[in-house]
Amino acid sequence: MRLVCLKFIPALVIVSLIALYYSNLSRNKFQFQQNRIMGKKLNPEKKQMIALGDCRVMFDVDPSIVSEKSGLNFAFPGNSYSKKYFHLAESKLSEKSDILIGISSESLTMANGNKAIENYVSEFRSKNIMIRNLNIFLEYVFPKLSLKDFFFGRLFLGDSTQFNSVEIKENGTYVYLGDYIDEQRASEHYRNVFKKNRIDFNIIKAMIDFSKDMISKGHRVYFFDTPVHESVLKAEELSLGQSHRIIDYLFKSLKETGACHLAHNNDYKTWDGEHLLSDEAKRFSKLLGEKIRNQDCEK
């Protein structure tokens, strides 16, 4: 019996090494691509349309579907709105551009210390991208293996799933190509976020000032609340309490600046409660495009 088991060891080792190879390959290809696209987002090229926001906008809004204009998804994961972010956004605009502002409760808080955009600017400078790519390459050649990794492979443990399921488009849009995971898992995240954070009025003021300034310079500003699963809405409502009144104030104030509110029915399917499935993101982007073309603004 012992001899029979020993015969299988070489085969197990070979299968595990193959699994590790493909797992590392998919992860590293994704990271190389992400580094390149993130660097491209921060270059000085001007665009006729940009979409602003956090990871929800990053997955949900494809400028190439919204409009035929040259567009950029200038959203970043974990991003909280700030003066620095709005300043960077303005630097990406050509004359008389369309600006899409995706609003989520978390993007209006100090949950990420308003430092997310500063971190991205630092990390994805050309020099730093070269260093990041070198580190990825070295990890690929000399992977850090645990005993469990070696015998089972990351591929079998599922660690590469996110890299196989996400595609990054040249315009900065992330596309989720997988299936449902758990539409209610994000609700726990938001309960934890809003235990420690509240909507920040300084962010509200910065957004209103940005809208007013951009419209005075001939740009067009559109805003919308990002679609989420109802469990996330309930978690936000329970955690934020009366803070929803601040969001109502924000929407009203943005309209007064001349910005257009692109309303929707929130009837979109997500894969994790807060990011839309690929086909749903296309449907949402088409809706935004139709509303912009028809100037269908919520009064």
Side-chain angles (χ1 to χ4, degrees):
M1 182 67 179
R2 185 176 296 175
L3 289 174
V4 173
C5 291
L6 288 173
K7 287 181 181 179
F8 284 103
I9 290 178
L12 179 60
V13 169
I14 291 171
V15 170
S16 297
L17 288 173
I18 292 172
L20 281 168
Y21 172 79
Y22 282 105
S23 177
N24 279 313
L25 181 64
S26 62
R27 184 178 72 250
N28 292 335
K29 281 175 65 177
F30 175 85
Q31 290 177 331
F32 280 132
Q33 184 186 23
Q34 179 170 251
N35 286 350
R36 185 176 63 80
I37 298 296
M38 284 292 191
K40 188 176 179 181
K41 278 189 179 188
L42 294 167
N43 71 24
E45 185 181 358
K46 306 287 187 180
K47 297 293 181 181
Q48 295 174 306
M49 170 181 284
I50 60 170
L52 308 182
D54 56 16
C55 59
R56 294 188 193 174
V57 173
M58 202 169 71
F59 276 93
D60 298 354
V61 180
D62 186 341
S64 67
I65 295 176
V66 175
S67 172
E68 294 181 354
K69 298 178 179 180
S70 63
L72 175 70
N73 188 316
F74 198 60
F76 294 87
N79 185 40
S80 296
Y81 283 108
S82 65
K83 289 182 178 180
K84 172 73 172 179
Y85 179 55
F86 288 133
H87 178 72
L88 280 172
E90 184 178 2
S91 72
K92 304 294 295 182
L93 300 173
S94 59
E95 291 185 9
K96 297 184 178 179
S97 297
D98 291 340
I99 305 167
L100 278 63
I101 302 176
I103 297 173
S104 70
S105 298
E106 188 174 7
S107 68
L108 301 176
T109 72
M110 292 289 284
N112 301 299
N114 259 199
K115 295 296 182 183
I117 192 62
E118 283 89 343
N119 292 338
Y120 286 119
V121 170
S122 173
E123 288 177 18
F124 292 101
R125 289 193 181 106
S126 298
K127 179 181 176 182
N128 290 347
I129 288 177
M130 291 175 64
I131 295 172
R132 289 169 67 92
N133 285 344
L134 177 61
N135 288 336
I136 292 169
F137 175 75
L138 291 175
E139 185 183 347
Y140 174 60
V141 178
F142 306 107
K144 298 175 184 177
L145 304 180
S146 67
L147 191 61
K148 185 165 64 173
D149 282 336
F150 181 76
F151 281 108
F152 295 100
R154 292 191 186 94
L155 186 65
F156 300 143
L157 298 176
D159 289 348
S160 66
T161 303
Q162 61 175 313
F163 306 109
N164 290 328
S165 300
V166 176
E167 174 187 289
I168 312 175
K169 299 183 70 171
E170 290 296 317
N171 64 12
T173 303
Y174 280 50
V175 181
Y176 180 74
L177 303 174
D179 299 317
Y180 293 104
I181 296 180
D182 180 2
E183 284 206 280
Q184 299 195 43
R185 80 174 190 173
S187 59
E188 183 61 31
H189 164 72
Y190 283 101
R191 276 192 286 270
N192 292 330
V193 166
F194 294 125
K195 279 179 183 177
K196 302 176 182 178
N197 298 278
R198 287 292 180 265
I199 292 175
D200 191 303
F201 196 79
N202 290 321
I203 298 176
I204 300 289
K205 184 178 185 305
M207 186 178 291
I208 294 169
D209 290 344
F210 173 72
S211 177
K212 190 183 300 181
D213 186 36
M214 292 301 98
I215 290 171
S216 71
K217 292 177 179 178
H219 302 297
R220 292 167 293 275
V221 177
Y222 303 89
F223 68 96
F224 56 92
D225 51 322
T226 48
V228 291
H229 188 259
E230 60 181 11
S231 62
V232 174
L233 291 177
K234 289 178 181 177
E236 290 181 352
E237 185 178 344
L238 288 171
S239 303
L240 286 173
Q242 298 300 313
S243 294
H244 68 273
R245 292 183 179 177
I246 301 178
I247 298 179
D248 291 341
Y249 167 78
L250 170 62
F251 281 25
K252 180 174 178 288
S253 299
L254 287 173
K255 290 176 186 177
E256 290 174 352
T257 67
C260 172
H261 179 199
L262 305 175
H264 59 88
N265 296 324
N266 198 45
D267 58 342
Y268 296 88
K269 295 177 182 177
T270 70
W271 50 274
D272 65 345
E274 59 174 336
H275 305 105
L276 300 183
L277 290 160
S278 174
D279 288 343
E280 295 294 278
K282 290 178 183 176
R283 187 163 71 92
F284 183 62
S285 295
K286 286 179 181 177
L287 175 75
L288 296 180
E290 289 171 4
K291 284 183 171 287
I292 290 172
R293 285 190 293 275
N294 298 325
Q295 288 299 294
D296 182 7
C297 307
E298 183 77 6
K299 302 299 182 184

